[in-house]
Amino acid sequence: DDYESVALFGDVSFRFAERWEVGGGVRYFQDDQDTYDGLSPTESDSFDSVDPRVFASFKVSDDVNIYASVGSGFRSGGFNRGPAPNYQPETLISYELGSKGIVADGRFSYEVAAFYSDYKDMLRRGLVFNPATGATDQLTSNIGKTEVKGLEVGLTWHPLRQLTLNTTATYLDSEVTEVKALGATNLPGDPVDYVPEFSYTLGGIYDFDWSASLPGYFRLDYS
């Protein structure tokens, strides 16, 4: 396999009325692919995309910020070995609304975000049985349309100068809304494969000094 990718991106923003900031950006991506397995003829394809985004933020105070963004995304298509058809690119539009801030004189900080992503031709990687060889082959296909709604929360607490505690949690509601692939293992209404409904982390770090010139820390994380 031979892949050659080129990307160019940039953002620009404008701040006005002291508390408001608006901006936008764009990303151009091109991906050229060649594949050869020693048996079948070489396959070649090229994928490219122009993906814009816009965003805005409002400073509630010096320590609290609210933001919103809308952007599109892209993932290249590619090749399947053997008789399986090749797969097309995956695209999405994502909306996000969130806030970040520091409260209680810096002892607490938080970040929270709600988002909605609308996928078209979402890619699914899996295994299919090949009766000719009696083994399984890897297959990537375009499921169709899916929706993912989510909420993310993160909290950090400094109960002591040396001690920092943190936690994050994510809830995802994913759904296949339209099936495109022939012989697909998904049906409309199914959750998206490999996407957990709920995940979280807990962590803590304690700073200390082994000596006057040798700092150290203990850290514990659970997810």
Side-chain angles (χ1 to χ4, degrees), residues 153-191:
V153 178
L155 299 172
T156 301
W157 179 33
H158 303 278
L160 302 172
R161 183 180 61 83
Q162 305 97 326
L163 180 62
T164 302
L165 303 176
N166 61 78
T167 181
T168 62
T170 302
Y171 171 77
L172 296 175
D173 178 15
S174 63
E175 181 182 0
V176 177
T177 59
E178 181 181 314
V179 173
K180 174 181 179 180
L182 296 176
T185 57
N186 296 94
L187 295 173
D190 283 349

Side-chain angles (χ1 to χ4, degrees), residues 38-221:
L39 300 174
S40 55
T42 300
E43 291 188 82
S44 301
D45 210 339
S46 181
F47 307 95
D48 63 85
S49 179
V50 177
D51 296 297
R53 80 179 187 110
V54 293
F55 55 90
S57 65
F58 175 70
K59 259 189 142 178
V60 180
S61 67
D62 290 340
D63 297 323
V64 177
N65 189 58
I66 298 174
Y67 67 89
S69 68
V70 180
S72 63
F74 172 86
R75 186 159 56 166
S76 292
F79 313 106
N80 283 310
R81 302 293 190 190
N86 297 331
Y87 52 95
Q88 299 303 308
E90 169 189 287
T91 60
L92 72 88
I93 298 179
S94 185
Y95 307 83
E96 183 174 351
L97 176 65
S99 176
K100 297 181 180 182
I102 301 172
V103 295
D105 296 325
R107 295 184 64 187
F108 287 92
S109 62
Y110 76 90
E111 52 186 41
V112 58
F115 58 88
Y116 168 78
S117 297
D118 187 6
Y119 288 82
K120 182 180 179 182
D121 294 328
M122 173 177 267
L123 297 176
R124 180 191 188 279
R125 291 179 171 87
L127 297 173
V128 294
F129 178 71
N130 186 338
T133 62
T136 53
D137 295 336
Q138 181 172 315
L139 174 69
T140 301
S141 59
N142 299 99
I143 299 176
K145 295 182 179 180
T146 64
E147 297 178 354
V148 178
K149 305 167 189 174
L151 179 66
E152 294 180 332
V153 178
L155 299 172
T156 301
W157 179 33
H158 303 278
L160 302 172
R161 183 180 61 83
Q162 305 97 326
L163 180 62
T164 302
L165 303 176
N166 61 78
T167 181
T168 62
T170 302
Y171 171 77
L172 296 175
D173 178 15
S174 63
E175 181 182 0
V176 177
T177 59
E178 181 181 314
V179 173
K180 174 181 179 180
L182 296 176
T185 57
N186 296 94
L187 295 173
D190 283 349
V192 179
D193 297 313
Y194 316 120
V195 177
E197 184 177 36
F198 181 71
S199 59
Y200 66 94
T201 64
L202 302 170
I205 184 169
Y206 183 80
D207 295 299
F208 65 96
D209 293 321
W210 294 103
S211 67
S213 60
L214 185 62
Y217 65 87
F218 290 113
R219 177 173 175 172
L220 180 65
D221 293 290

